[in-house]
Amino acid sequence: MGKLLCLGWLLSSFFVCAQSQNHLIDFEFEGVTLNGIMTSPKNATPKGLVLIVHGSGRTKAVAQDWYADVREAISKAGYATFMYDKQGCGQSGGTFDYNQPVQNSAQEVIAAIRALKAQQIPGSQTIGLWGISRAGWINPLVINQYPDIAFWISVSGVYARENFNYLLEQNLLLDGLSKDSVALLVHEWAEGNRIAHAGGSFEAARAATQNLRKNAFFNRFTNGNEITREEYETFQEGFMKEEFDEATGQQIHVPNFKDVLSNSNCPVLALFGEKDKNVDWQKTKALYKETMGKHHRLTIKTFPDANHNVFQCRTGGFFEFQDNDLPYIRPEGFLETLTDWLEALE
């Protein structure tokens, strides 16, 4: 079934924030305690606070000091940041749910904002959002539902539908498969989705994806784990409740997404890597211009040799860094863009 995976930016202590200080903060959501880390500029009252919203997948954000360079760039502009681990991850309670609806994730973010304000955390009088990939669905929902979001920094943002067909297509082409072979495998993925969404059986979904399930990239992406009947039926129960585009076989994560984006009338900074092989950044860029560009508070910057996580790359392939043991180096101007844009908000 479709996945949009954004690996966490596992930046080491090499990026220890020289201009900031950290402390832990807990908050409650739906009876579960979530744990996060507050990073504040040293010897200064924060101008505001940027809440870091993750992409897909499990997190070890607090323990591994994720996004340390991003948080430092934000601190240079005089803003604090708050970043928390998802349920069942790090020191957060509860159980991790890969298929957590983005609508529920938005409510989780709003719960974090309310807790920060209730605790009168310095900077919480002005809240902005920073988010990558899947957060491109979550943050517009937050902005629509919570009236006082001051700004939004969108990194490798998404359009309304599931993006795994693009990820699959682009990475199969990088693996050297012919266009016809790629088209067949992407079609099988979409057909499996159609069967699951229509209430079809586990056997029917398996029969429709015979070639896909044998593909080396797909098997590596899923860690070689074929979905079991129980997993299929558990997934299907929630999947059938989701909006779905029959023509493309894609899940629609946020219905009326154009309207949601159009209503996001705070200043927006959108950053994209031009070699993103996870998300079709050009479609998202066009969508942002169509919906948010009209109020003249949208700034877009792209980085030619950067991947989905906005690190310098050669191909942008999903496993490129893992296979080649590449250093995690930001493209020139990425961090400076964050700092300069925040400073210009004043």
Side-chain angles (χ1 to χ4, degrees):
M1 296 304 109
K3 288 185 179 181
L4 175 64
L5 191 63
C6 170
L7 298 181
W9 297 352
L10 308 183
L11 302 177
S12 72
S13 57
F14 176 79
F15 291 111
V16 170
C17 296
Q19 300 187 33
S20 56
Q21 54 192 358
N22 300 328
H23 63 278
L24 299 178
I25 295 176
D26 290 341
F27 70 97
E28 299 290 322
F29 177 65
E30 296 183 345
V32 175
T33 300
L34 299 177
N35 176 253
I37 187 166
M38 178 82 177
T39 302
S40 303
K42 285 183 180 177
N43 306 317
T45 300
K47 301 172 186 175
L49 189 151
V50 181
L51 200 150
I52 304 288
V53 182
H54 299 297
S56 299
R58 290 181 175 272
T59 66
K60 294 182 181 178
V62 175
Q64 295 182 338
D65 204 23
W66 284 15
Y67 312 111
D69 58 342
V70 167
R71 288 151 55 207
E72 175 74 353
I74 292 170
S75 288
K76 285 181 180 179
Y79 287 81
T81 59
F82 180 65
M83 172 184 67
Y84 64 90
D85 277 310
K86 296 179 182 180
Q87 293 191 34
C89 300
Q91 297 302 310
S92 291
T95 302
F96 174 72
D97 178 9
Y98 187 92
N99 297 309
Q100 180 184 16
V102 294
Q103 291 79 6
N104 187 257
S105 295
Q107 290 301 309
E108 187 177 272
V109 172
I110 291 172
I113 293 170
R114 288 176 173 155
L116 294 169
K117 286 184 174 290
Q119 296 178 47
Q120 298 183 333
I121 299 299
S124 62
Q125 75 284 352
T126 302
I127 296 280
L129 303 173
W130 183 101
I132 182 170
S133 195
R134 179 177 182 269
W137 291 311
I138 299 167
N139 286 345
L141 291 171
V142 174
I143 294 166
N144 276 243
Q145 296 169 29
Y146 192 88
D148 295 324
I149 301 300
F151 55 85
W152 170 29
I153 300 172
S154 175
V155 183
S156 303
V158 289
Y159 48 93
R161 298 185 181 96
E162 169 61 47
N163 290 268
F164 186 71
N165 64 326
Y166 175 84
L167 185 156
L168 182 62
E169 175 189 63
Q170 294 299 309
N171 283 275
L172 292 178
L173 289 171
L174 286 177
D175 278 356
L177 274 69
S178 69
K179 289 185 178 180
D180 287 345
S181 295
V182 171
L184 171 65
L185 296 176
V186 172
H187 172 77
E188 287 194 2
W189 171 80
E191 189 60 24
N193 281 345
R194 292 188 187 98
I195 291 168
H197 193 267
S201 69
F202 174 64
E203 289 79 10
R206 282 179 57 83
T209 56
Q210 292 184 53
N211 295 293
L212 178 64
R213 291 186 290 107
K214 296 174 185 175
N215 175 259
F217 172 80
F218 185 78
N219 273 289
R220 186 177 181 187
F221 187 86
T222 58
N223 294 317
N225 298 322
E226 285 217 41
I227 189 169
T228 65
R229 180 188 299 277
E230 182 180 1
E231 290 169 337
Y232 174 82
E233 292 176 351
T234 298
F235 163 79
Q236 185 179 45
E237 182 179 359
F239 188 52
M240 289 177 65
K241 298 174 185 176
E242 300 287 340
E243 294 279 342
F244 190 73
D245 180 25
E246 286 286 345
T248 62
Q250 293 172 287
Q251 180 181 355
I252 300 173
H253 289 279
V254 181
N256 304 312
F257 193 45
K258 286 186 178 181
D259 292 339
V260 172
L261 288 174
S262 295
N263 292 333
S264 303
N265 59 0
C266 62
V268 177
L269 172 63
L271 305 173
F272 300 100
E274 294 183 15
K275 290 188 177 178
D276 189 339
K277 296 299 189 289
N278 289 33
V279 170
D280 191 338
W281 68 272
Q282 295 189 72
K283 279 189 178 180
T284 305
K285 178 183 174 183
L287 178 62
Y288 281 10
K289 285 184 174 181
E290 177 187 352
T291 55
M292 298 184 292
K294 62 188 179 184
H295 53 59
H296 307 295
R297 306 178 80 186
L298 171 66
T299 301
I300 297 176
K301 187 171 177 60
T302 67
F303 300 90
D305 294 311
N307 64 7
H308 182 65
N309 289 330
V310 200
F311 286 112
Q312 292 180 19
C313 67
R314 291 194 291 269
T315 69
F318 193 85
F319 295 111
E320 179 183 11
F321 277 64
Q322 182 177 336
D323 288 345
N324 297 286
D325 194 26
L326 298 178
Y328 288 86
I329 301 172
R330 295 292 187 192
E332 183 178 356
F334 173 72
L335 296 173
E336 292 80 2
T337 297
L338 292 173
T339 302
D340 293 346
W341 186 81
L342 285 169
E343 289 178 339
L345 288 177
E346 300 171 16

